[in-house]
Amino acid sequence: MRRTENLTSSPGQPARKRGVHRHALPVRLWHWLNVIAVFVLLGSGLSIFNAHPRLYWGQYGANFDPAWLEIGSRDGGQEGFLRIGPLEVETTGILGVFEKDGSLRRRAWPHYLTIPADYSLAQGRLYHLFTAWIFGIAGLAYALWSVAGRHFRRDLLPARKEMAPRHIWHDVKQHARLRLPKGEAALRYNILQKFSYLFVLFVLLPMMVLTGLAMSPNMNAAWPWLLDLFGGRQSARSLHFIAAFLIAGFILVHIIMVIAAGPLNEIRSMITGRFRIREDRP
C-alpha cells in the first residue's frame, strides 16, 4: 500500500500537493540499471552491426546474398543509403557516409551512436556480451520479484474493464492529445502503459535474450533447437535487430511521456520513490 502525506495544505490555496511512495526499491534499482545496460547494449550492438551492415532471413547470409535491409555507400563512397526491401533512401551525412575530423567515414552507423566510438568489432563484442549478462540476470531477478511480490498482478495485469474497446480508445485519444492522468489516476498505470510494459517485458526482452543466444556458436552446440526456433542464424540476427529498435522506440516514447507529465516529479519518483500529486480542493 502506498504511503501518503500532505505537503501543502494552506487554506488560501485552491489545490494541495500530496506526497506518495510510488516505486519500490527493486523497481527503481532495475530501472536505472536498465538505463545503463540498454544504452551500452544499443551502442555496442550498432558497432557490431557495422562489421556487416546487412540483414537476411534464413540460415545463411553473405555479401552476394539478397538482404532485406542494408546500410552502405556508393558512388565511390560519396553517397550513403538505407535500403529496406525495395525502398531505398539517401542518408548521406547520417548513415553510410558521414564526416568525422574533417574526413569522410564509411560506416553504417556514425561514431556518436556506437560504443566504442572508433570502430572495433572486438571491443564492441566485449561491451555487448558483458552487459548482456547484467541485463539478463537483472531482468530475471525483476521478473521473479514481480510475481512473488504481487507487483505483476497488482500493477501490470489489466483489469477486465480496462480491456473494453471503448476504454482503450479513450486512453489512445487522451495520450494523442497529451492529456495525461492527474491526481490519484497518475499513481496507476493506464491500459496503454500496461500493454507496452507487458509487451516489452514478456515479448521483446525474451526475444532479445533468446535470439542473442541463438547467434552464439557455443549455444548452438548446447541448444541446437534455438536455431530451429527462429528459422536459422540470420533470421535470429534480424529478429534481434528488430527487437532492439522496438525497445529503442519504446524508450523514445517513454521519454516523451515523462517530459509531458513533468520530468522533475517523474524522475524524482524513480530516484527516491516519492511522487507528488496535485489535488483540487472540494
Side-chain angles (χ1 to χ4, degrees), residues 2 4 15-20 22 180-189 261 265-266 275-280:
R2 296 181 175 94
T4 65
R16 62 182 178 180
K17 291 182 179 179
R18 189 157 55 90
V20 180
R22 188 185 192 190
L180 304 182
K182 299 184 182 299
E184 289 288 339
L187 301 178
R188 300 182 296 273
Y189 295 137
N265 197 22
E266 295 286 339
F275 183 78
R276 293 182 181 182
I277 60 174
R278 187 177 181 89
E279 297 178 325
D280 292 331

Side-chain angles (χ1 to χ4, degrees), residues 5-203:
E5 61 180 10
N6 288 339
L7 298 178
T8 59
S9 56
S10 173
Q13 293 181 337
R16 62 182 178 180
K17 291 182 179 179
R18 189 157 55 90
V20 180
H21 186 76
R22 188 185 192 190
H23 297 298
L25 181 60
V27 174
R28 304 196 314 266
L29 290 175
W30 185 70
H31 176 274
W32 292 113
L33 184 61
N34 265 359
V35 169
I36 299 171
V38 171
F39 174 79
V40 176
L41 285 170
L42 288 175
S44 58
L46 296 181
S47 183
I48 295 170
F49 182 85
N50 275 350
H52 187 75
R54 298 162 62 93
L55 293 175
Y56 314 86
W57 295 114
Q59 179 62 47
Y60 306 104
N63 290 336
F64 297 105
D65 294 320
W68 70 267
L69 182 144
E70 179 181 5
I71 303 174
S73 62
R74 59 185 170 213
D75 293 340
Q78 301 299 309
E79 182 180 306
F81 69 90
L82 164 66
R83 184 178 60 79
I84 303 177
L87 177 64
E88 189 170 298
V89 181
E90 182 183 342
T91 57
T92 305
I94 303 174
L95 302 175
V97 176
F98 55 92
E99 187 173 322
K100 180 185 179 185
D101 300 328
S103 61
L104 288 181
R105 302 296 177 93
R106 296 168 184 84
R107 295 289 180 192
W109 296 96
H111 60 283
Y112 50 81
L113 293 179
T114 63
I115 297 175
D118 292 325
Y119 174 71
S120 172
L121 177 59
Q123 289 187 32
R125 282 176 169 171
L126 285 174
Y127 282 116
H128 203 74
L129 294 175
F130 176 76
T131 311
W133 278 106
I134 298 175
F135 178 76
I137 293 172
L140 178 60
Y142 174 77
L144 293 175
W145 174 84
S146 295
V147 173
R150 300 179 62 82
H151 171 61
F152 169 75
R153 187 178 186 85
R154 182 183 64 245
D155 299 322
L156 296 178
L157 194 64
R160 179 175 297 179
K161 64 179 181 180
E162 293 178 303
M163 300 293 289
R166 180 180 299 179
H167 182 93
I168 296 173
W169 179 237
H170 175 266
D171 271 17
V172 169
K173 292 189 293 184
Q174 292 296 94
H175 274 70
R177 297 166 183 166
L178 294 182
R179 296 177 181 174
L180 304 182
K182 299 184 182 299
E184 289 288 339
L187 301 178
R188 300 182 296 273
Y189 295 137
N190 59 62
I191 189 62
L192 297 183
Q193 287 176 304
K194 290 181 178 182
F195 279 161
S196 60
Y197 291 153
L198 289 173
F199 181 66
V200 170
L201 289 173
F202 295 102
V203 178

